Amino acid sequence: MSIRSSASSPSCRAARRTLGAALLALLGACASAPPAAVEPEGLPWEIPASALGTQQLFRMSYSGPRGEGSFRLALRLESAVRYQANAVDPLGRALWSLDVTADRGLFLDHRARAACALESELRLVGAPLDRVALTDLPKLLLGRVPVSPPAETPAPAGVNAGKGLKILVLSGAAGESWQVHLARGRLFRWTLIRVGEPTAWWTIEKGESILSDRTGGQLRWRASVAEPLASPLVPLAAPADYAREGCAALALGGAG
């Protein structure tokens, strides 16, 4: 009884009016405030600094002319030019391993029991992106543009498309260009154009990367685990019973 009487007193009613006005003013200020700026991730063709020194696990699936399949891929990224990757099937059986330093790498095909020395790039069998530079594979997995523009080429200014959108065009290999779409500085789509025709395109939807091509092939992946590297990478060695030069191209795990 005394509480109800106190709450209805003139002083309490005045306090409530004052508090209500303050809340309305605060809500009005929040409603009119612009959205918070998105934290930049660096240039869209660069690996984010936060990803260096980490190991990440990706769940991947493929569908297209070669059938369907799924696999898990672990990426251990020591630096922008030093990493290891390995793929296993849904039952945990090893499919392949890759060890890269700069533009040289060792690829182990565990199903074929073969080992190959690689230079400059990977040739991908059945993938929407049929080749990628060795140093650019982590970029692809991490949702960046898998291309390295010449160092002497200035970063393109891009074309503003309104509502915080910007489109950049990057030069690639001969006859190639990359159309890059940014939203408030964040990459959300790119298209690879070869000889004037769209060849492959990537986008991200609700945290899932989707890479497609005009033949109907599609590769999807999502990061499921990310943690710091526990120790420096130890170079891989080819087992003595593995054939040499028996894996000219990296096949998609579970899809070959």
Side-chain angles (χ1 to χ4, degrees):
M1 188 71 172
S2 61
I3 293 176
R4 184 179 302 124
S5 174
S6 174
S8 61
S9 66
S11 60
C12 286
R13 288 197 296 272
R16 282 204 304 271
R17 286 195 295 271
T18 302
L19 178 60
L23 288 173
L24 287 173
L26 178 60
L27 290 172
C30 290
S32 61
V38 176
E39 185 69 21
E41 299 177 305
L43 296 173
W45 55 88
E46 294 179 339
I47 295 174
S50 60
L52 301 178
T54 68
Q55 53 186 3
Q56 303 195 34
L57 179 64
F58 300 88
R59 297 187 180 276
M60 312 191 72
S61 63
Y62 169 83
S63 63
R66 291 174 56 84
E68 298 182 354
S70 62
F71 58 104
R72 298 193 303 273
L73 188 150
L75 172 67
R76 291 178 288 278
L77 188 61
E78 189 171 274
S79 72
V81 295
R82 177 77 179 108
Y83 71 90
Q84 291 177 348
N86 69 279
V88 299
D89 70 12
L91 298 179
R93 295 173 298 195
L95 297 173
W96 53 261
S97 299
L98 177 65
D99 190 337
V100 172
T101 301
D103 60 352
R104 294 182 180 274
L106 174 66
F107 176 56
L108 303 178
D109 185 335
H110 301 300
R111 291 179 297 181
R113 304 188 68 78
C116 297
L118 301 177
E119 293 187 12
S120 301
E121 65 179 18
L122 293 169
R123 293 283 177 169
L124 304 172
V125 176
L129 193 62
D130 61 350
R131 66 178 187 269
V132 61
L134 287 173
T135 53
D136 290 340
L137 181 61
K139 300 178 188 179
L140 175 65
L141 293 171
L142 295 169
R144 314 302 285 161
V145 188
V147 66
S148 298
E152 66 274 9
T153 303
V159 176
N160 290 318
K163 297 183 178 179
L165 301 179
K166 180 177 284 190
I167 301 173
L168 309 178
V169 177
L170 307 177
S171 297
E176 289 185 354
S177 63
W178 301 75
Q179 191 177 82
V180 180
H181 296 250
L182 308 173
R184 296 182 180 179
R186 281 188 178 270
L187 174 67
F188 72 94
R189 184 168 68 242
W190 56 254
T191 301
L192 170 60
I193 299 172
R194 287 182 179 156
V195 198
E197 295 290 336
T199 299
W201 47 93
W202 169 93
T203 189
I204 187 164
E205 295 180 1
K206 298 180 180 179
E208 182 179 46
S209 285
I210 305 171
L211 178 63
S212 309
D213 67 10
R214 56 186 176 183
T215 70
Q218 189 171 87
L219 184 65
R220 291 173 173 260
W221 67 94
R222 182 187 297 272
S224 59
V225 176
E227 58 188 12
L229 273 176
S231 59
L233 297 180
V234 177
L236 298 181
D241 62 340
Y242 273 36
R244 296 318 194 252
E245 304 306 325
C247 44
L250 184 157
L252 285 177

